[in-house]
Amino acid sequence: MKLIQTVKRRMGSDEKKATAAAGISGVPTKSKAAPAAKAAAAKAPAENAAAGFAALSKLREAPPGERTELFRRKMEICAVVFDFHNDSNQRDKEAKRQTLLEIVEYVNNTRNCFNEALMQDVVNMVGSNIFRALQTRNKDPLAFSDPEDDEPSLERAWPHLQIVYEFFLRFVVSNDVDPKIAKRFVDQNFMLKLLELFDSEDPRERDYLKTILHRIYGKFMALRSFIRRAIQHVFFKVIYECETHNGVGELLEILGSIINGFALPLKEEHKDFLIKALIPLHKVKSLASFYQQLSYCMAQYVEKDPRLACDIITSMLRYWPVSITSKQVLFLNELEETLELTQPAEFHRMQGLLFRRLALCITCPHFQVAERTLFFWNNDYIVKLINQNRQDLFPIIIGALYKNSKQHWNSAVHGLTFNVLKLLMEADGQLFDECSAKHRTDEEEQERLEQVRARRWAALQELHDKATATNATKN
């Protein structure tokens, strides 16, 4: 297995980019003590850590009967956390890194290394290293910025964190770990803290967390329901409170795999998760950062139960981003993907509401929205659904197409509009002529009403002018 070589290679490349740092991390004190006193207070634990690393022999050199206790002591000393925001204690940091690599190599090459007596030490060491206050950047709320363009803030302690995550991943997937025993240590409180780390700005950390959480979900059956509820609460916070969270995409990736494994028929609990937590994510401002993962989850639900297509599409129409054209294009992409999985009966239930929105999109001045909507007629299955319900849908669409052909400014949209008109004409020439005639009649009636309205306003203006003149004469 090339795990250790991979870790060392990653560590080497990351060290060249990362900012060196040091010091033992702890709870910051608000004391006004002199800097010399603070340095003296921090020096003692650092020296103890250095002495601890140096005092322990190599695991492969120890007698087999002493390796378990030595392994436990190495995990205990690795629970000491260093501060990477300064350049002190470089030797101790490197000693800890080498010790972490050693224990990862040990668990890879040793059978039955995770017994019940050591599980608490494993969880303590991992928790001491990874559970921390995440770095945050204070942004000006009035400043415009695209989240996709922002450089992520990389974790300075990654040289240690990466190996700790590798070690914990080995623990989770190990055949030596009985989930019935390990669930006493990897408990609900531990999982809540683990989920909080998904808000890390470092994509490397989120990738490890995604893999670890997915493995825990697959192995610890007793935690599955709790993990789903905890993820749901994260989404609620994103939807109703902060609207920004770095790990939504990774959590949705995990959910896509979870949804794929749902048994049929779907439980009400799973349907509620879709309606209450997943669909409302469409209204979040940062949708573009996790759109693909969310769209995949929607598709998984519709494949499991095609009747849910109506709920998904009607909810999307309710959350439609009227003033944000970039989000409208994303919505249109997802609409097409969902319609491809929609059964004719479900399509019939929502067709009126759906195509009234599509008619508005066809006439949208933004050419990308209009163009993306007209591309629906390149999809054979959607065209088939439209033609099956043409008596109801042609009257809605034809008016918007005629308006485009006369008024839209973009030549590409003009060309697509005429192509769609041609397709409708070929599908049912008689109905097309009837709808066209009705459209002309409606336009003429609209023009007549506009003229009547203009005459009435002119009459009112004339009466106002006469009254004003009479009052001026009297005065």
Side-chain angles (χ1 to χ4, degrees):
M1 197 171 184
K2 299 181 180 179
L3 174 65
I4 301 303
Q5 290 85 343
T6 303
V7 173
K8 288 182 177 178
R9 186 169 61 253
R10 289 178 180 173
M11 294 304 309
S13 61
D14 288 341
E15 281 180 340
K16 294 177 183 177
K17 300 176 184 177
T19 302
I24 303 297
S25 68
V27 178
T29 176
K30 295 183 179 179
S31 170
K32 296 183 179 179
K38 292 183 180 180
K43 189 175 180 180
E47 289 176 349
N48 291 339
F53 289 123
L56 299 178
S57 61
K58 298 290 184 182
L59 281 164
R60 63 174 175 269
E61 298 171 357
E66 299 177 7
R67 287 178 182 173
T68 300
E69 177 60 21
L70 181 59
F71 179 43
R72 186 193 65 76
R73 291 175 63 192
K74 283 183 178 286
M75 286 192 293
E76 190 176 88
I77 198 68
C78 284
V80 176
V81 181
F82 291 92
D83 183 1
F84 277 74
H85 288 80
N86 55 61
D87 294 332
S88 61
N89 298 337
Q90 292 291 348
R91 183 182 301 174
D92 299 337
K93 291 175 184 176
E94 179 59 22
K96 176 179 176 179
R97 190 177 76 86
Q98 293 298 331
T99 304
L100 287 169
L101 285 170
E102 182 188 1
I103 64 175
V104 172
E105 185 175 11
Y106 173 74
V107 301
N108 273 339
N109 300 325
T110 309
R111 289 189 174 184
N112 302 318
C113 58
F114 292 120
N115 55 51
E116 183 176 355
L118 289 174
M119 287 185 183
Q120 186 63 59
D121 296 291
V122 170
V123 172
N124 287 344
M125 188 275 283
V126 172
S128 298
N129 281 276
I130 67 174
F131 297 146
R132 66 203 188 281
L134 296 174
Q135 300 179 37
T136 57
R137 288 185 290 179
N138 296 323
K139 295 183 178 180
D140 182 359
L142 301 179
F144 175 79
S145 64
D146 186 349
E148 294 184 352
D149 294 338
D150 291 342
E151 286 294 327
S153 176
L154 299 181
E155 177 58 52
R156 299 190 181 197
W158 187 244
H160 289 175
L161 283 177
Q162 180 185 12
I163 314 174
V164 173
Y165 278 124
E166 283 284 357
F167 173 76
F168 188 51
L169 181 58
R170 296 303 103 201
F171 171 78
V172 172
V173 301
S174 173
N175 293 327
D176 303 336
V177 177
D178 184 352
K180 293 180 181 178
I181 298 174
K183 70 180 182 181
R184 300 206 308 268
F185 309 101
V186 183
D187 55 9
Q188 293 183 359
N189 185 47
F190 184 92
M191 294 310 302
L192 286 175
K193 293 179 180 178
L194 193 72
L195 280 167
E196 288 178 2
L197 294 174
F198 273 86
D199 200 18
S200 169
E201 288 195 24
D202 195 327
R204 303 168 300 181
E205 181 170 16
R206 297 200 305 271
D207 193 54
Y208 267 109
L209 289 166
K210 176 183 67 176
T211 305
I212 290 170
L213 182 60
H214 195 186
R215 294 288 190 170
I216 291 175
Y217 186 90
K219 187 167 187 173
F220 292 77
M221 303 282 288
L223 288 172
R224 288 187 174 183
S225 178
F226 177 80
I227 290 173
R228 291 196 302 271
R229 291 198 307 273
I231 293 175
Q232 186 178 40
H233 291 155
V234 173
F235 291 164
F236 285 160
K237 184 176 180 180
V238 175
I239 295 165
Y240 300 111
E241 293 181 17
C242 61
E243 287 209 351
T244 56
H245 191 286
N246 295 309
V248 175
E250 285 78 10
L251 291 173
L252 287 170
E253 280 189 52
I254 297 170
L255 277 174
S257 178
I258 292 173
I259 296 165
N260 190 40
F262 283 164
L264 295 176
L266 287 177
K267 297 179 181 178
E268 288 301 318
E269 170 197 352
H270 302 328
K271 295 180 182 178
D272 287 344
F273 191 97
L274 169 69
I275 301 299
K276 295 179 180 178
L278 288 181
I279 294 177
L281 282 173
H282 286 91
K283 67 180 182 179
V284 176
K285 291 179 181 178
S286 57
L287 172 66
S289 64
F290 54 82
Y291 153 75
Q292 291 182 339
Q293 296 91 331
L294 180 59
S295 180
Y296 178 76
C297 290
M298 298 294 105
Q300 288 294 305
Y301 264 107
V302 177
E303 286 182 0
K304 289 287 182 181
D305 187 351
R307 292 173 297 180
L308 292 172
C310 182
D311 295 320
I312 292 173
I313 291 178
T314 53
S315 297
M316 287 178 63
L317 296 174
R318 187 164 64 249
Y319 298 132
W320 196 267
V322 178
S323 61
I324 309 175
T325 53
S326 59
K327 282 186 71 174
Q328 287 190 48
V329 173
L330 297 180
F331 272 52
L332 289 166
N333 290 337
E334 187 172 338
L335 274 181
E336 181 173 0
E337 293 173 6
T338 308
L339 285 172
E340 288 179 342
L341 303 170
T342 303
Q343 299 299 315
E346 302 306 315
F347 180 82
H348 184 75
R349 288 174 55 195
M350 60 189 174
Q351 61 183 12
L353 185 64
L354 170 62
F355 275 80
R356 279 192 288 274
R357 170 54 63 186
L358 292 182
L360 292 173
C361 291
I362 287 173
T363 58
C364 178
H366 196 286
F367 79 96
Q368 288 181 335
V369 175
E371 187 177 60
R372 185 63 190 84
T373 309
L374 292 167
F375 280 152
F376 274 43
W377 275 263
N378 291 341
N379 189 304
D380 293 337
Y381 182 70
I382 295 177
V383 169
K384 180 181 176 182
L385 290 174
I386 294 172
N387 290 338
Q388 288 174 352
N389 298 274
R390 57 183 177 272
Q391 295 291 338
D392 298 317
L393 300 182
F394 277 23
I396 300 174
I397 294 297
I398 286 177
L401 292 170
Y402 274 125
K403 182 178 178 181
N404 252 18
S405 65
K406 295 177 182 178
Q407 300 180 9
H408 207 284
W409 62 273
N410 187 270
S411 59
V413 172
H414 268 276
L416 290 169
T417 299
F418 285 116
N419 288 340
V420 173
L421 285 169
K422 183 180 178 182
L423 288 173
L424 299 184
M425 190 184 306
E426 292 172 352
D428 191 334
Q430 182 179 352
L431 178 60
F432 181 85
D433 292 338
E434 291 174 2
C435 293
S436 299
K438 186 176 184 304
H439 171 69
R440 286 193 293 271
T441 303
D442 291 343
E443 274 198 332
E444 291 171 359
E445 178 65 17
Q446 186 66 30
E447 289 178 6
R448 188 187 67 80
L449 291 175
E450 286 293 332
Q451 292 173 0
V452 171
R453 181 171 175 271
R455 286 198 297 269
R456 287 175 177 173
W457 276 111
L460 284 173
Q461 185 66 43
E462 185 179 352
L463 289 173
H464 175 267
D465 293 342
K466 288 182 178 179
T468 303
T470 303
N471 290 336
T473 304
K474 289 181 179 179
N475 294 334

